[in-house]
Amino acid sequence: MAALRLLAWALPRGVSARRLQPALPHRLVLRFASDRCGRVRFYKDPVKALEGVKDGSTVMLGGFGLCGIPENLIGALKTKGVKDLKIISSNVGVDDFGLGILLASKQVRRVVCSYLGENALCEQLYLAGQVDLEMTPQGTLAERIRAGGAGVPAFYTPTGYGTLVQEGGAPIRYSPDGHLVTLSQPREVREFNGRHYLLEHAIRADFALVKGWKADRSGNVIFRGSARNFNVPMCKAADVAVVEVEEIVDVGSFAPEDIHIPNIYVDRVIKGPKYEKRIERLTTCDSPPSTMNKKQAEARTRIIKRAALEFEDGMYANLGIGIPVLASNFISPKMTVYLHSENGILGLGPFPSKKDVDPDIINAGKQTVTVIPGGCFFASDDSFAMIRGGHIQLTMLGAMQVSKYGDLANWMVPGKKVKGMGGAMDLVSSDKTKVVVTMEHCTKTKQPKIMEKCTMPLTGKRCVDLIITEKAVFTVDRKKGLTLTELWEGSSVDDVKATTACPFRVSPNLKPMEQIKPDA
């Protein structure tokens, strides 16, 4: 019977298998279920597709920000009204859409993520003791999920060594009166080839809610653009994987080699009845300019134009949110730089025109972007393999604080501000990647950001190679400390000393801060 069903499924659509029956043994009867193909079940009602989800279930939610989130299945979770959910998600998005609606309806007890994004509600609930929050580096989260789907119980990673991730003590639960109740536990550390690595355990879930683009009638799934992100590893790491898609097509509609998720990983499929595909940060090439004052704009432009000199022809580079990503506007047309985005893009192009905005193509800052010819998309676990594996030559990112030995802090102010480390801990973890920090020299309250020792939780230990501010450029020796190598013409060595909270050497070859020329 199994062989006969395989034969029937192989027939072109419209050709009746019954026409073959006279030539087959009479006792063999072909049977088809309208809502089932092999082990994959097809549903029309999102709520019914979530059969088995109950109070206290662990649920993975695919997507990155609002890109590639399972909108209809999240809405169905809200409708079911299940409580005390443990949610695993790359980040938390916004207050009133996606995961935000589950938080608003008090259905979530614990969130495991890497970044809070712009979700002020989640931060508020966390600090008020109403939601537990386990912050995990984005690449570590992707790899923990990938390992869970691959049957690997644990692995060693350099990401997070020397930080609260390794040392323990990161706040997970607050009491309503603001006292700490639960802290993260220290990780086991081992040394391999002279470097330190910490042990991370795999993650699995009861259910994974995944957003695909198309599924065929046997349950194979493909994704579109950067909407692949966490959806791929999550689909493999749950007892029940529920995939919602925009279209269900006949078997054979896409080539076998183009399938991103084979049906062996898929349990349930539903065609979503509607999609809002909200864009978190609509950004176009003609977006209105920043509202910062002239002095701030000049300082920022100065940093950007100096940072752009770090690009080299043929380089693979990752640019963080804010000042770093703006440096891409000054890449010389005479060189090719492949810009990497940790949510699954290699070959970032400029911001799109209004008519070319695509909600399925965003960068790590949740901005709408384009992709250059030759660019490509991939899942988040592949993206961070590129990062940790040292295939990215340069990363630029902002900072709250940098120490004189290159320690970096940019993700959290305990008890006050919970930004999340996102992919930053991974981006600074490879000793093959040059780490450049671009930031204003002091805070808004005129406090130095370059310190003897960071007072905020670290993102990385002795990982920064170069610091660029509006006043100066420092090289970082991770044993000897800082050397001032370039000085803005409007600054002086004495001014830099007065606004830097640690000693530094002055290069005998100190020169004016360089700026990329428009026609470079």
Side-chain angles (χ1 to χ4, degrees), residues 336-339 345-350 361 369-377:
T336 298
V337 176
Y338 299 94
L339 297 180
I345 304 177
L346 188 61
L348 282 171
I361 302 178
V369 291
T370 61
V371 177
I372 63 172
C376 58
F377 303 103

Side-chain angles (χ1 to χ4, degrees), residues 228-248:
R228 198 180 312 187
N229 50 64
F230 271 78
N231 281 298
V232 171
M234 285 183 173
C235 195
K236 304 174 183 179
D239 295 337
V240 179
V242 188
V243 182
E244 69 170 68
V245 294
E246 297 172 42
E247 188 177 354
I248 296 175

Side-chain angles (χ1 to χ4, degrees), residues 354-385:
K354 288 183 179 179
K355 66 180 180 63
D356 293 325
V357 166
D358 188 332
D360 286 332
I361 302 178
I362 65 165
N363 64 13
K366 325 308 188 302
Q367 297 170 303
T368 46
V369 291
T370 61
V371 177
I372 63 172
C376 58
F377 303 103
F378 34 85
S380 294
D381 50 342
D382 283 330
S383 186
F384 282 95

Side-chain angles (χ1 to χ4, degrees), residues 336-497:
T336 298
V337 176
Y338 299 94
L339 297 180
H340 172 274
S341 187
E342 57 261 38
N343 60 309
I345 304 177
L346 188 61
L348 282 171
F351 295 127
S353 64
K354 288 183 179 179
K355 66 180 180 63
D356 293 325
V357 166
D358 188 332
D360 286 332
I361 302 178
I362 65 165
N363 64 13
K366 325 308 188 302
Q367 297 170 303
T368 46
V369 291
T370 61
V371 177
I372 63 172
C376 58
F377 303 103
F378 34 85
S380 294
D381 50 342
D382 283 330
S383 186
F384 282 95
M386 297 175 192
I387 292 168
R388 285 190 309 273
H391 304 285
I392 307 295
Q393 283 88 45
L394 171 71
T395 184
M396 288 186 192
L397 63 172
M400 295 177 182
Q401 295 176 339
V402 183
S403 81
K404 70 175 182 179
Y405 295 116
D407 298 337
L408 171 67
N410 75 347
W411 72 278
M412 184 182 187
V413 181
K416 295 181 180 179
K417 183 178 181 181
V418 186
K419 181 180 177 183
M421 67 282 288
M425 285 190 179
D426 301 275
L427 285 162
V428 302
S429 68
S430 173
D431 57 2
K432 296 181 180 179
T433 302
K434 182 176 183 179
V435 177
V436 177
V437 166
T438 58
M439 66 179 187
E440 294 180 354
H441 207 91
C442 296
T443 68
K444 292 179 180 179
T445 57
K446 308 301 182 183
Q447 298 300 308
K449 296 173 74 173
I450 303 175
M451 319 280 290
E452 178 78 24
K453 182 178 180 180
C454 294
T455 58
M456 297 179 186
L458 294 185
T459 303
K461 191 172 183 64
R462 302 202 178 198
C463 59
V464 177
D465 297 290
L466 190 71
I467 305 170
I468 302 172
T469 77
E470 77 280 11
K471 294 184 177 185
V473 177
F474 295 91
T475 59
V476 185
D477 185 300
R478 297 170 190 177
K479 293 182 178 179
K480 297 179 180 179
L482 303 177
T483 300
L484 177 66
T485 58
E486 298 178 33
L487 187 66
W488 179 246
E489 59 185 16
S491 298
S492 66
V493 172
D494 287 340
D495 175 44
V496 173
K497 285 182 177 179

Side-chain angles (χ1 to χ4, degrees), residues 56-60 83-88 107-112 134 203:
S57 288
T58 298
V59 181
M60 291 179 177
K83 303 286 187 180
D84 297 323
L85 295 173
K86 178 180 178 181
I87 298 294
I88 301 165
Q107 293 175 255
V108 179
R109 180 56 205 165
R110 187 181 184 95
V111 176
V112 180
E134 181 184 337
I203 296 178

